[in-house]
Structure formats: structure tokens, C-alpha cells
Amino acid sequence: MPGPMGGPMRPGEGTLPKVKDFKKTTKKLMNDYLSKYRIALIIVFIFAIGSTIFTIVGPKILGNATTEIFNGLVSKLSGGNGIDFGKIGQIAITLLILYVISAIFSFIQGFTMTSISQKLTYQLRNDLAKKINQLPMRYFDTKTHGEVLSIITNDIDTLSMNLNQSITQIITSICTIIGILIMMFSISWQMTLISLIILPIAGILVKNIVGKSQKYFQKQQAYLGHVNGQVEEVYGGLNIVKAFNGEEKVTKEFEKANQELYHSGWKSQFLSGLMFPVMNFIANIGYVGVAVAGGYLAIKGTITVGNIQSFIQYNKQFTQPINQIAQISAMLQAMIAAAERVFEFLEQPEEIDTKKGNMDTSNLKGNVSFRHVKFGYNPETTIIKDFNAEVQEGQKIAIVGPTGAGKTTMVKLLMRFYDVLERRNNGRWS
């Protein structure tokens, strides 16, 4: 089966990664990398909660100002003193202070989380740089240069960017949902129940959409590496492609891989973007129900005008963290898909170092000997079964033969890019 450059397909080309283990990768990311920044993550957690709390309290205080204005207008019409602007001013100053504190807390947690993600990225790039120098040639024969570059660049960038955004948004979203629920129940339990009806509907829709989009995000990351590899090989060997009139063939192969990347990317982005309008539609239905119930309760005199305004604001904010969680789920899928590819690269078996101390080369001779060598790129398939060759120091030889005869394989064995499977010593195979 032909590969990108018209030669035999290397092992691993044209295949997609197996189904990814979300739990295992997340645990590895937390234990092996993020655990080093435990104190910084605690700071992020505390300041994210503080920023969220101060933001949540704001609509309740603003509702008090609305109630004060409404009562003042009613008092004015009844011949009273009218609106107490001094009290409204105090409420406005309190609200301003709360929002300033919330902004400061948000800045601190954002700065800290950015530092964590950049340090993590720096560490991963260093680990990849060390790992790439310790991998055997066997690995690079199963991967194109573009696939390796995609892991070092695209996957690391995806991991860094989504990690920076997702952790803080998860914390703030959860705190916002809990805080808003407490404030809503304190205002009206009847209106709160109407708002909560949308949760199971939204949860079912999000689960179905995320489940479908996950496999397309994985395919997108995989085919991105294939396309990068084909582009790198074709541009690097452009003279060879032209010399053998291979332009049409490599173009068709690129179009096929690019088409797969297009379809997986389109479907993943479409399903990810579909969550927002669906959640928005459900939120609007809940908003209409809350408005009707609030008007009924106001007529009965069981709720103030300011509390209705506060509740409507909370109801609007209540759908925002749900939408954010839906968006975060897509970000997490892309982040974990990238992290799995990075960890898979870092977990590849390294080349065995067989040297024992320093070697004296002063008495070495340039004799080369192959004796009853067995070898195969795949351990299950032996392509050299009993190879023998003797080359004496100073002797000049030429390795000739048709394509596939094993010329390149001989050189790779000689350079110790690969180890032989078996060789016979004293009449025995070992």
C-alpha cells in the first residue's frame, strides 16, 4: 500500500488513534504536572470564588435600590417625602465597591492561572525536547515529521490555551450556579422552581451533543497530524515528486486526508457551536415563565418590584454558567485529546543505552561482520532470515540491488538504528 511519497506505507500511517481514556489522562495531568502548583491552584480557587460571590451579591443590592425608588415614587404620589436619594447613593457606592473588589479578585486569579499554564507548557516542551533525543529510529519510521511537529506545536498550544481558560471557568461557573440558586431561593421559591425546570432538559441535550462531538475532536487532532506530515514530506521532497511525475498522485492523497480533516473539523465545530443556540432557546422559555410568575406574585403582594428585577437578573445569569459549562466541555475534549497525544509521545519506549563506561578506540579496526542475522521492522514479520557479510578494514564495497532488496536496512543495522532480532553464535540462535 503506497505511502505519502509513493513508497511502502509505514506502520501507523492511515490509522486513527484508539478511543481515548478521559479519566486516565485527566488523572495523569493532575498528578504528574498540576500537583506541583497546588498552592497556586488554591489561590486561583479562593480568588475565583471571591470574585464570583461579590458579583452575585450585586443584583440583590441593585434590587434594593429599585425598591427604594419605587417606594419613593409611591410615597410622593401619596403626599410623602418622596425618593430618599441619600440612601440610594449609599447603595450605589456599596455596589461600586463590590464590583471593584470583584474585578481585583478576578485579575489576581487570572494572572495566577496564566502563570500556571505557561509554566506547565514550558515544562512539557522541555520534556518533549529531552524525549525526542532518546527515541529510537524505529519510532520516527512509523511517524511522519509533520505528525511529530503537530504534537510539539499544535497539541501543546491547545493544551496550554484550554487549560488556562477551562479551570477558572469551571470554578466560577460552579460557584455562580450555587450562589445564584441561594439568592433565587431567598427571593421566591416558586419562581426558582420554574427556573430549575430547564436544568434536566439542558443536561440531556448537552450530554448528547458532547458525546457526538468528542469522537470528531479526536479525529480532527489525528488527521491534522496526517495533513502536516504529508505537506512536510511533499515540500521536502518536491524535486523527487516532480522527477517521477508524482504531482497528481500526492495531490489526490493530500485532498483525501484534507477532506477527512475538513469533515471531522466541521462536525466537531458545528456540534460545539450548536450548544449555545439550543441553551439560549431553553433559557428564553424559562425567562418567559419567570416573568409571568413574578407579575402574578407582585399582584398578590408577596414580592417587591426590586426583588422581581433582581430575580430576573439572576435568572439571566443562571443560564450563563450553564452555557459556559457546555462550552467548557468542548474545550476539555480538545484539551484532553491534545494531552493524550503528548503523553503518548512521552511514554514511548526509549532507546536502550548499552555502553559501559568509556571505550578505548585506539586499537579498533574497521572490520564489519554480519553473521546469521535475523531482522524485521515488525517483530512478527522477519524480512532478513539468515544474512552473512564480511568486510575487511580498507576494503571498498558497493551495496546494489533492486528496490526492497534491503540496502537501506543493512545501513540502518550497521549504524545501530535498529537491533537485530536474532543472531547465531556457536551454532545457536540468540
Side-chain angles (χ1 to χ4, degrees):
M1 188 173 180
M5 289 295 295
M9 175 168 281
R10 292 189 285 263
E13 285 186 5
T15 60
L16 291 176
K18 296 181 180 180
V19 177
K20 305 301 181 179
D21 192 334
F22 187 95
K23 183 178 180 180
K24 178 181 177 182
T25 306
T26 304
K27 185 177 180 180
K28 182 176 180 62
L29 182 63
M30 295 294 295
N31 294 339
D32 295 353
Y33 290 93
L34 289 178
S35 61
K36 301 176 183 179
Y37 309 102
R38 188 177 292 107
I39 296 177
L41 287 173
I42 293 175
I43 293 174
V44 171
F45 186 79
I46 293 174
F47 280 90
I49 292 177
S51 173
T52 305
I53 291 175
F54 287 121
T55 302
I56 291 174
V57 175
K60 179 69 174 179
I61 297 176
L62 187 61
N64 294 335
T66 302
T67 301
E68 189 67 30
I69 293 174
F70 178 78
N71 292 336
L73 290 174
V74 172
S75 175
K76 185 70 173 179
L77 294 175
S78 303
N81 296 327
I83 301 173
D84 187 353
F85 288 101
K87 189 173 182 180
I88 294 176
Q90 293 177 356
I91 294 174
I93 292 174
T94 303
L95 189 62
L96 178 63
I97 293 173
L98 288 177
Y99 284 143
V100 169
I101 295 175
S102 176
I104 293 174
F105 276 35
S106 180
F107 172 79
I108 293 175
Q109 63 91 9
F111 178 83
T112 307
M113 193 63 227
T114 301
S115 299
I116 294 173
S117 64
Q118 291 304 312
K119 290 178 180 178
L120 177 63
T121 304
Y122 177 80
Q123 181 183 354
L124 283 173
R125 291 191 191 278
N126 282 338
D127 292 344
L128 290 172
K130 294 178 182 177
K131 184 71 177 183
I132 201 171
N133 293 322
Q134 297 172 341
L135 291 176
M137 289 296 297
R138 183 186 299 273
Y139 176 80
F140 296 102
D141 279 345
T142 62
K143 300 288 184 180
T144 63
H145 295 168
E147 288 177 306
V148 177
L149 289 173
S150 179
I151 294 174
I152 298 175
T153 56
N154 295 336
D155 291 331
I156 289 292
D157 290 341
T158 300
L159 176 60
S160 174
M161 180 179 64
N162 290 350
L163 178 66
N164 186 26
Q165 298 177 12
S166 59
I167 290 184
T168 55
Q169 287 189 7
I170 288 173
I171 296 173
T172 56
S173 297
I174 293 175
C175 293
T176 300
I177 291 176
I178 296 175
I180 288 178
L181 277 176
I182 294 173
M183 299 303 293
M184 290 169 67
F185 270 111
S186 68
I187 294 174
S188 171
W189 65 267
Q190 298 95 330
M191 296 167 65
T192 304
L193 291 179
I194 295 175
S195 300
L196 291 178
I197 294 176
I198 68 173
L199 284 180
I201 301 175
I204 294 173
L205 290 174
V206 169
K207 181 180 179 181
N208 291 333
I209 294 174
V210 169
K212 292 182 179 298
S213 64
Q214 179 180 5
K215 60 180 181 179
Y216 292 117
F217 273 113
Q218 294 172 351
K219 287 184 178 181
Q220 180 183 4
Q221 290 296 116
Y223 277 110
L224 181 60
H226 288 309
V227 169
N228 287 340
Q230 288 183 341
V231 170
E232 188 275 335
E233 282 195 350
V234 172
Y235 276 86
L238 188 59
N239 291 335
I240 299 176
V241 174
K242 288 182 174 294
F244 288 91
N245 295 323
E247 295 95 328
E248 183 178 353
K249 185 175 183 180
V250 297
T251 300
K252 289 182 179 179
E253 291 173 352
F254 173 79
E255 288 177 350
K256 181 180 178 181
N258 196 34
Q259 192 73 10
E260 292 289 346
L261 177 61
Y262 165 76
H263 285 300
S264 58
W266 184 89
K267 290 177 181 178
S268 62
Q269 296 300 325
F270 172 76
L271 291 173
S272 177
L274 187 64
M275 287 187 285
F276 178 76
V278 170
M279 294 297 299
N280 194 37
F281 173 74
I282 297 175
N284 287 334
I285 294 177
Y287 175 74
V288 172
V290 167
V292 173
Y296 174 76
L297 293 175
I299 293 173
K300 292 181 62 176
T302 58
I303 192 172
T304 64
V305 175
N307 282 338
I308 293 177
Q309 179 198 359
S310 298
F311 194 94
I312 290 176
Q313 287 185 300
Y314 284 130
N315 186 62
K316 286 183 177 180
Q317 293 180 10
F318 185 63
T319 59
Q320 291 178 2
I322 298 177
N323 291 334
Q324 288 178 353
I325 291 176
Q327 294 173 356
I328 291 169
S329 63
M331 293 169 55
L332 287 176
Q333 297 298 331
M335 183 184 76
I336 294 302
E340 281 173 329
R341 286 163 58 86
V342 172
F343 294 153
E344 184 183 63
F345 183 87
L346 293 174
E347 291 170 356
Q348 291 294 322
E350 299 178 359
E351 191 169 19
I352 300 174
D353 188 2
T354 57
K355 70 177 182 179
K356 297 180 180 179
N358 297 326
M359 182 177 292
D360 184 10
T361 60
S362 59
N363 297 322
L364 286 180
K365 295 183 179 181
N367 300 329
V368 177
S369 178
F370 288 91
R371 296 176 183 173
H372 304 288
V373 170
K374 281 188 177 182
F375 175 74
Y377 289 100
N378 188 338
E380 286 75 26
T381 305
T382 303
I383 60 175
I384 297 178
K385 298 181 179 180
D386 189 6
F387 175 63
N388 297 272
E390 294 286 343
V391 181
Q392 300 301 319
E393 182 180 9
Q395 187 178 2
K396 295 182 179 180
I397 65 169
I399 304 176
V400 296
T403 301
K407 302 184 296 297
T408 304
T409 301
M410 289 174 57
V411 176
K412 288 181 177 179
L413 289 174
L414 181 63
M415 301 299 295
R416 198 66 186 278
F417 292 159
Y418 289 88
D419 284 325
V420 299
L421 297 180
E422 293 182 15
R423 58 185 176 183
R424 193 166 64 185
N425 295 319
N426 298 323
R428 294 184 178 182
W429 291 102
S430 61

